């Protein structure tokens, strides 16, 4: 996962976009992976639902993939 978001992007179990992607992969039985790149300006831990928006965008993009 790469990002243009200022600050340190949470990794592993703390990142809801990655968790959503892993749950989708497990639920669908997919064994391949993908690279996620966050591109937004919502401050990390700013309380503006940036993580939820990232997770939703990841699910939409992975579904299309």
């Amino acid at each position: 996962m790469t990002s243009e978001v200022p600050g340190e992007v949470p990794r592993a179990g703390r990142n809801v976009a990655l968790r959503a992607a892993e749950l989708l992969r497990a639920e669908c039985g997919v064994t391949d992976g993908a690279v996620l790149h966050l591109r937004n300006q919502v401050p990390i831990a700013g309380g503006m639902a940036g993580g939820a928006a990232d997770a939703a965008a990841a699910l939409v993009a992975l579904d299309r993939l």
Side-chain angles (χ1 to χ4, degrees):
M1 175 172 223
T2 62
S3 174
E4 294 175 13
V5 179
E8 186 176 333
V9 176
R11 302 284 185 212
R14 294 183 38 219
N15 187 300
V16 290
L18 286 176
R19 287 191 346 223
E22 288 295 330
L23 287 170
L24 180 66
R25 178 171 35 180
E27 186 66 26
C28 295
V30 174
T31 57
D32 293 334
V35 174
L36 300 177
H37 178 79
L38 297 179
R39 186 173 160 188
N40 63 31
Q41 295 300 313
V42 177
I44 294 171
M48 295 181 277
D54 291 343
L59 290 175
V60 169
L62 291 169
D63 180 58
R64 289 183 182 170
L65 180 67

